[in-house]
Amino acid sequence: MKAMLIATLLAAAPATRDVEMKVTERGFEPNRIEVKKGVPLHLVVTRKTDATCAKELVIKDVNLRKELPLDKPVAFDFTPSKSGEMTYLCGMGMISGVLVVQ
Ligand SMILES: [Cu+2]
């Protein structure tokens, strides 16, 4: 009985969504990411070029700002709590992408 309850709870827990993103000469790739509300997001960003001003990534809506060292994966972990669009930007706000929360 107890084992069944635990199994049910585990099945109901939202799985983490893993997304990989790169910074290239073309900007953020991808520059549009669809995620689900309430599902923890594990976003891993790797800057692959020095020919970019996106040497950091800012996601204002969730108060995240991290430097992106060349060729070193940097994780951004958060759970989108409301549906809509969130913008992610380089440190100066010139290069951007959109997180679509559904
Ligand atoms: Cu910039």
Side-chain angles (χ1 to χ4, degrees):
M1 227 14 216
K2 201 172 178 187
M4 251 183 86
L5 179 62
I6 291 167
T8 306
L9 288 172
L10 283 175
T16 300
R17 171 80 195 283
D18 294 327
V19 176
E20 281 194 30
M21 183 167 79
K22 287 180 193 147
V23 178
T24 72
E25 283 93 353
R26 289 183 293 273
F28 296 121
E29 294 188 42
N31 61 10
R32 184 185 165 91
I33 299 169
E34 294 188 3
V35 296
K36 280 216 169 89
K37 186 171 112 178
V39 176
L41 174 64
H42 178 64
L43 173 66
V44 178
V45 185
T46 310
R47 178 164 65 87
K48 303 300 286 180
T49 178
D50 265 324
T52 179
C53 70
K55 290 176 182 165
E56 58 181 355
L57 177 71
V58 182
I59 313 175
K60 272 194 196 132
D61 298 78
V62 289
N63 269 317
L64 288 174
R65 171 187 284 261
K66 288 187 185 181
E67 287 190 20
L68 302 173
L70 187 66
D71 282 324
K72 189 168 175 262
V74 177
F76 292 75
D77 287 280
F78 61 95
T79 303
S81 58
K82 57 174 187 178
S83 42
E85 294 192 351
M86 275 187 221
T87 303
Y88 49 91
L89 300 162
C90 71
M92 294 137 293
M94 291 169 296
I95 300 176
S96 68
V98 174
L99 270 167
V100 183
V101 185
Q102 285 162 331

